[in-house]
Amino acid sequence: MNTLLAMLAAYLLGSISFAVVVSKLFRLSDPRTYGSKNPGATNVLRSGNKAAAVLTLLGDGAKGWLAVWLTVQFGTQFGLGDTAVALVTLAVFLGHLWPIFFKFVGGKGVATALGVLLGINPWLGLATLITWIVVVYAFRYSSLGALIAAIFAPFYYGLLFGPDPKLLAIFIMSALLVYRHSSNIGNLMQGKESRLGSKKK
């Protein structure tokens, strides 16, 4: 029962779309109506408002971190072990992808996934973040950085901690993140992908 409650709480937390909330607070256009139409920090940046993009990034990352960190830190006293942490990981991420508060239309999950990884272990999150930064700095494609970081995340976890339920959860999360970037993969292959910082048309 405690595991189910933790999963439900994580899903509801993940369902808060900071791209939409922050855009409303800043009186910006709904990020689901321009650019990639993805409610995420990269698309909010296309509005030209860097502060809104940063707040979106921090909010989406923080909800992933909070859900997992609370389970890791306090779950044992409620009988929540590694399996529960793995399920909470997936629940908060699925909440971001398919949020109940926004008609199940969510973002692609990059910031939330990073927050989840930081919640599991700071070194894991840092290694994944550095991978994203290096790729984005070199090519200026946020989506490419996200794809490569997603591929490396399960490898980093396995290298650091070995196989356990959390590794499977990270693998599933990474696979979903790649799936959500399927249109970006097509655009990258065709040379049509927007570079980081490009303005909305």
Side-chain angles (χ1 to χ4, degrees):
M1 177 61 75
N2 287 339
T3 299
L4 290 175
L5 290 174
M7 290 175 62
L8 177 59
Y11 172 77
L12 293 176
L13 179 60
S15 290
I16 301 172
S17 178
F18 281 90
V20 178
V21 173
V22 170
S23 292
K24 287 183 177 179
L25 290 175
F26 279 77
R27 297 183 178 179
L28 302 173
S29 299
D30 189 319
R32 296 169 294 182
T33 64
Y34 64 82
S36 65
K37 296 182 171 57
N38 173 59
T42 301
N43 204 38
V44 172
L45 184 60
R46 293 190 177 102
S47 71
N49 193 313
K50 294 182 180 179
V54 170
L55 287 175
T56 298
L57 180 69
L58 292 175
D60 283 343
K63 67 185 182 184
W65 171 82
L66 182 62
V68 175
W69 184 82
L70 287 174
T71 308
V72 170
Q73 294 297 317
F74 305 105
T76 53
Q77 56 189 291
F78 298 100
L80 304 178
D82 283 348
T83 299
V85 173
L87 292 172
V88 165
T89 291
L90 291 176
V92 70
F93 188 70
L94 291 174
H96 180 79
L97 299 188
W98 294 287
I100 192 172
F101 303 132
F102 297 94
K103 299 180 180 180
F104 302 101
V105 178
K108 295 180 180 178
V110 177
T112 302
L114 176 60
V116 164
L117 296 176
L118 287 169
I120 291 174
N121 183 273
W123 290 111
L124 172 65
L126 182 61
T128 307
L129 176 60
I130 290 173
T131 302
W132 181 86
I133 290 173
V134 169
V135 175
V136 172
Y137 180 79
F139 300 100
R140 290 188 57 219
Y141 289 115
S142 177
S143 57
L144 181 61
L147 288 166
I148 294 178
I151 292 170
F152 273 86
F155 169 77
Y156 290 147
Y157 185 89
L159 187 65
L160 289 169
F161 307 108
D164 64 18
K166 287 178 282 188
L167 176 59
L168 178 58
I170 293 171
F171 179 82
I172 294 172
M173 183 175 68
S174 296
L176 285 170
L177 196 149
V178 171
Y179 166 73
R180 294 286 282 192
H181 281 78
S182 57
S183 61
N184 301 92
I185 294 172
N187 289 337
L188 285 166
M189 294 178 68
Q190 298 172 32
K192 298 179 180 179
E193 182 73 350
S194 298
R195 291 182 182 271
L196 189 67
S198 62
K199 300 289 184 67
K200 67 175 182 178
K201 296 181 180 179

